[in-house]
C-alpha cells in the first residue's frame, strides 16, 4: 500500500516529532511517511530533529508573514507542494482558523497534554496545562489525540491515556511523565491508525 504523506507541524522542542520519527524507524508507524515538517518558529529545536532525520523543514511564522490569512496561505502552498494528505500538530502553538481547518476535515490530528475536556481550550497549552492540573488538585491527568476543527481542542477524540499525579510533582516533572507515558505513545498510534484509514480510501 502507498504510504500516506504526513506533515508534522511544530513550534518548540519537538519531542513529539521525535516520537513520530522514531516510530517510523522502529516499524510502529508504517502506513504513513513524514515528508515535511513545518515550524512556526525559526529557532525551534524541532527543526534540527527534522534535519537529522533527513526530513525537509520549512518555517512559516505568522509574525513574519504579517497576518493569519498570509500565514495560512503559506502553509497551504507548502502542504500542496509536498502532496501532504495528513497533518499532525505536535506542539504547534499557533491557532489555525476555521477557513483552514474546514479544508482538512478529519485530516488534522493534535496531541493535547490533558484528558480533554479537562484543562483544554483557549489559553491551555504547554506547561500551563500541567500548572492548572496541579493547582486544581486532580490525581489523574494524561494526554489526548483528537481531530482538529474550528473549536480549540474541540474535535472528535481518537485516543486518550491516563497518567497518575505523584506527591511533590512540579509542572515540569508532570509534563515529562505525561509525555513519556502518554503523548509519545498515543500520537504515533493515532498517526498509524488514520494514515491506514486514508490509505484504504485511496
Ligand atoms: C507537548 O506537551 C504537547 O502536548 C503540547 O506542547 C508540548 C510540546 O512539546 N501541546 C499543546 O499544549 C497544544 N495545545 P514538544 O515540542 O516537545 O513535542
Amino acid at each position: 500500500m502507498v504510504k500516506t504523506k504526513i506533515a508534522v507541524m511544530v513550534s518548540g522542542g519537538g519531542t513529539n516529532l521525535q516520537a513520530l520519527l522514531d516510530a517510523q524507524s522502529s516499524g510502529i508507524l508504517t502506513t504513513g511517511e513524514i515528508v515535511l515538517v513545518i515550524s512556526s518558529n525559526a529557532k525551534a529545536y524541532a527543526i534540527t530533529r527534522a534535519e537529522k532525520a533527513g526530513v525537509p523543514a520549512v518555517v512559516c511564522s505568522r509574525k513574519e508573514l504579517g497576518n493569519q490569512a498570509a500565514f495560512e496561505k503559506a502553509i497551504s502552498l507548502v502542504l500542496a507542494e509536498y502532496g501532504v494528505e495528513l497533518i499532525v500538530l505536535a506542539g504547534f502553538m499557533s491557532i489555525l482558523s476555521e477557513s483552514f481547518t474546514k479544508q482538512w476535515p478529519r485530516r488534522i490530528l493534535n496531541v493535547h497534554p490533558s484528558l480533554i475536556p479537562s484543562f483544554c481550550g483557549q489559553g491551555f497549552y504547554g506547561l500551563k496545562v500541567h500548572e492548572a492540573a496541579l493547582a486544581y488538585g486532580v490525581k489523574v491527568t494524561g494526554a489526548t489525540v483528537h481531530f482538529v476543527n474550528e473549536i480549540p481542542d474541540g474535535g472528535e477524540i481518537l485516543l486518550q491515556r491516563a497518567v497518575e499525579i505523584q506527591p511533590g510533582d512540579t509542572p515540569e516533572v508532570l509534563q515529562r511523565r505525561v509525555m513519556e507515558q502518554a503523548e509519545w505513545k498515543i500520537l504515533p498510534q493515532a498517526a498509524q491508525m488514520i494514515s491506514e484509514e486514508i490509505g484504504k480510501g485511496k
Side-chain angles (χ1 to χ4, degrees), residues 12-17 90-93 110-113 124-126 129-130 153 175 179 183:
T15 65
N16 279 289
L17 166 65
F92 185 67
M93 298 304 180
N110 180 46
V111 63
H112 182 76
F124 287 102
Y125 56 87
V129 178
H130 304 291
D153 298 326
Q175 179 182 53
M179 284 174 159
E183 296 185 49

Side-chain angles (χ1 to χ4, degrees), residues 27-194:
I28 291 170
L29 175 56
T30 57
T31 53
E33 183 189 357
I34 301 164
V35 297
L36 172 69
V37 169
I38 297 178
S39 177
S40 65
N41 167 12
K43 295 191 180 129
Y45 184 68
I47 296 173
T48 307
R49 295 183 191 272
E51 284 165 356
K52 281 186 180 161
V55 177
V58 173
V59 176
C60 292
S61 149
R62 182 168 43 193
K63 214 167 151 192
E64 276 167 28
L65 290 158
N67 60 52
Q68 188 72 19
F71 173 59
E72 290 178 355
K73 192 172 175 198
I75 292 171
S76 297
L77 280 174
V78 69
L79 291 172
E81 187 187 332
Y82 283 86
V84 169
E85 301 165 288
L86 174 65
I87 299 169
V88 178
L89 306 185
F92 185 67
M93 298 304 180
S94 290
I95 295 285
L96 295 168
S97 75
E98 182 173 1
S99 75
F100 184 90
T101 59
K102 76 179 179 203
Q103 290 172 45
W104 294 86
R106 298 175 68 88
R107 291 291 179 273
I108 311 176
L109 305 181
N110 180 46
V111 63
H112 182 76
S114 75
L115 294 174
I116 291 175
S118 288
F119 313 116
C120 65
Q122 207 82 45
F124 287 102
Y125 56 87
L127 262 191
K128 287 180 192 286
V129 178
H130 304 291
E131 283 164 5
L134 290 174
Y136 199 97
V138 292
K139 302 299 175 204
V140 175
T141 184
T144 303
V145 177
H146 62 93
F147 283 126
V148 173
N149 63 10
E150 68 285 1
I151 304 156
D153 298 326
E156 183 187 324
I157 290 173
L158 284 164
L159 294 175
Q160 290 190 304
R161 186 164 298 183
V163 174
E164 286 196 9
I165 287 171
Q166 305 290 344
D169 270 353
T170 62
E172 290 79 6
V173 166
L174 181 58
Q175 179 182 53
R176 183 75 190 183
R177 187 179 313 118
V178 169
M179 284 174 159
E180 282 175 359
Q181 295 184 5
E183 296 185 49
W184 301 341
K185 298 204 163 88
I186 62 173
L187 187 59
Q189 263 175 35
Q192 169 76 355
M193 217 163 82
I194 303 307

